[in-house]
Amino acid sequence: MRAVIVTDFERDPEVLDVPVPKPAPHEVLVRVEASGLCHTDIHAAHGDWPVKPTLPFTPGHEGVGIVQAVGSAVTEVVIGDRVAMPWFGYGCGTCGYCVDGRETLCESQRDTGYSVDGGLREYSVADARYVVKVPDGVSPLDAAPLTCAGVTTYKAVKVAHVVPAERVAVFGIGGLGHLAVQYARIVGGFVTAVDIHDDKLELARRLGADRTVNAATTDPVAEIQAQGGADVAIVLAASSQVFEQAFRSLRRGGRLICVGLPKAGAFELPIFETVLKGISVIGSIVGTRQDLREVFALHAAGRTEVIAETRDLADIARAMDDVLDGSVPARIVFDFSK
Ligand code: NAD
Ligand code: ZN
Ligand code: ZN
């Protein structure tokens, strides 16, 4: 079968012919139908972060497909089910975080496409307890971006506790951002979308953003403060400078939601303003299995729209370059059905 393999952080990933994996007792073997390319896969392939994947590995945590075989201990799904294989690929199930609803903080977690091989391949294995069933009414091509971009931004909006008529600034209208705009709208926020490409801002407007700011030509801080400041700023761009802009865009009592994971992983947080303005700084990491079920339910009910371009797996290196250039419409999804 074909699989994307990263062998060297300095070189492009390759598509190689590798054996189909066998499921362990708690695992399923999934025939992948569609698999999205998250910016995180690019960080992984480049070894951008302090904790690096062990080489060689297959990235991908937006894999969706049909269960083809099940391990001897699997009770959660059956052959023929359509499932999603998210970043949160395994948790211990018994620690405090796992049992109190914060399973994505589990210290024993396995992360799909990072600490274990991911979904950018024709067949994938995944722990049956941590895959999420894709309901009828959600196509595999739509389910793929929802499996990370969707659940991550849905969770970001949840942890921000946005209430109707609050002002939400979304920085970065890529794969994650185009869905963040929609979730912020669903909970009743007034949305300002910030990006550096006009076509992404046009898309944000079409998906419900009330205002847009092109940060390449206009200072987003001045623009957002001129409107009274944001109650919530969600950072989805892979740039630490954007975190500073987002912080300075907040009004008193504002919440900065940190989601993007730039290589240069630090920004200056002014203590005086944080304290006097009562600002909260919140990190948000993907979402739980239940969050993903809710994301699928919203999509099946027609509340969200996924914007993606399909490509063949052979195009992986160029696809990564195109995401970095910002020249793709929201998400790239590899379509395995052809
Ligand atoms: P993406 O490349 O699709 O989107 C990034 C967007 O940011 C693009 O539209 C780009 O034009 C825009 N941008 C770049 N510079 C900007 C600037 N100066 N101001 C405003 N916008 C700017 O990436 P993505 O897949 O949406 O992922 C975004 C980030 O989120 C990545 O760092 C990724 O690793 C991270 N991520 C985090 C989590 C999490 O759980 N915390 C989950 C998934 C992805
Ligand atoms: Zn992701
Ligand atoms: Zn745990």
Side-chain angles (χ1 to χ4, degrees):
M1 67 156 187
R2 295 187 306 154
V4 172
I5 310 278
V6 178
T7 48
D8 185 331
F9 296 127
E10 307 299 325
R11 286 177 37 205
D12 281 345
E14 296 167 274
V15 178
L16 300 177
D17 194 21
V18 299
V20 173
K22 286 202 174 24
H26 275 288
E27 287 179 339
V28 288
L29 174 69
V30 175
R31 177 176 54 78
V32 177
E33 300 171 285
S35 205
L37 178 64
C38 180
H39 202 124
T40 289
D41 299 318
I42 304 175
H43 293 305
H46 291 171
D48 277 350
W49 296 337
V51 180
K52 298 182 199 315
T54 306
L55 296 169
F57 75 101
T58 295
H61 52 275
E62 289 187 348
V64 169
I66 302 293
V67 175
Q68 201 76 15
V70 297
S72 56
V74 169
T75 55
E76 298 78 8
V77 293
V78 295
I79 291 171
D81 281 347
R82 175 169 288 133
V83 295
M85 298 176 284
W87 170 264
F88 182 63
Y90 169 83
C92 78
T94 50
C95 75
Y97 301 118
C98 278
V99 299
D100 77 359
R102 294 181 296 165
E103 61 189 17
T104 60
L105 302 182
C106 176
E107 291 187 42
S108 308
Q109 71 186 269
R110 285 182 216 137
D111 300 321
T112 309
Y114 208 88
S115 63
V116 294
D117 280 330
L120 288 174
R121 50 182 173 166
E122 286 176 318
Y123 289 87
S124 210
V125 285
D127 193 300
R129 297 162 294 191
Y130 290 87
V131 299
V132 173
K133 282 189 202 173
V134 179
D136 294 342
V138 180
S139 73
L141 289 175
D142 280 3
L146 295 172
T147 297
C148 177
V151 76
T152 299
T153 52
Y154 177 69
K155 186 66 163 191
V157 167
K158 263 190 167 179
V159 300
H161 296 294
V162 178
V163 296
E166 278 197 317
R167 286 176 282 215
V168 181
V170 178
F171 286 78
I173 309 297
L176 269 63
H178 91 286
L179 284 153
V181 166
Q182 299 177 66
Y183 297 124
R185 276 286 302 238
I186 286 172
V187 297
F190 292 120
V191 179
T192 298
V194 184
D195 205 289
I196 51 175
H197 297 284
D198 279 332
D199 53 336
K200 305 219 175 224
L201 297 171
E202 235 171 81
L203 173 65
R205 265 193 299 274
R206 188 167 79 61
L207 296 172
D210 300 278
R211 293 173 182 278
T212 57
V213 183
N214 186 331
T217 52
T218 306
D219 175 11
V221 178
E223 187 74 14
I224 294 168
Q225 286 298 356
Q227 304 296 328
D231 296 291
V232 170
I234 304 177
V235 188
L236 307 170
S239 151
S240 36
Q241 180 215 349
V242 177
F243 284 72
E244 282 163 22
Q245 290 176 337
F247 176 87
R248 289 190 285 115
S249 302
L250 290 170
R251 65 202 290 254
R252 289 177 173 236
R255 288 93 80 197
L256 178 70
I257 313 297
C258 304
V259 176
L261 287 159
K263 182 177 183 182
F267 71 100
E268 202 161 298
L269 183 71
I271 297 169
F272 191 78
E273 282 83 357
T274 304
V275 174
L276 268 76
K277 292 185 176 177
I279 304 268
S280 306
V281 178
I282 301 167
S284 189
I285 177 74
V286 293
T288 63
R289 290 167 286 178
Q290 179 58 24
D291 291 321
L292 183 52
R293 289 187 191 121
E294 291 166 16
V295 159
F296 285 151
L298 286 168
H299 195 72
R303 305 284 179 89
T304 49
E305 191 180 337
V306 171
I307 306 296
E309 176 182 300
T310 56
R311 301 260 184 115
D312 184 86
L313 201 59
D315 203 30
I316 181 70
R318 202 165 55 122
M320 287 190 172
D321 289 344
D322 291 348
V323 172
L324 291 175
D325 283 353
S327 60
V328 297
R331 213 35 148 202
I332 286 176
V333 177
F334 296 100
D335 183 357
F336 291 77
S337 69
K338 288 173 191 155

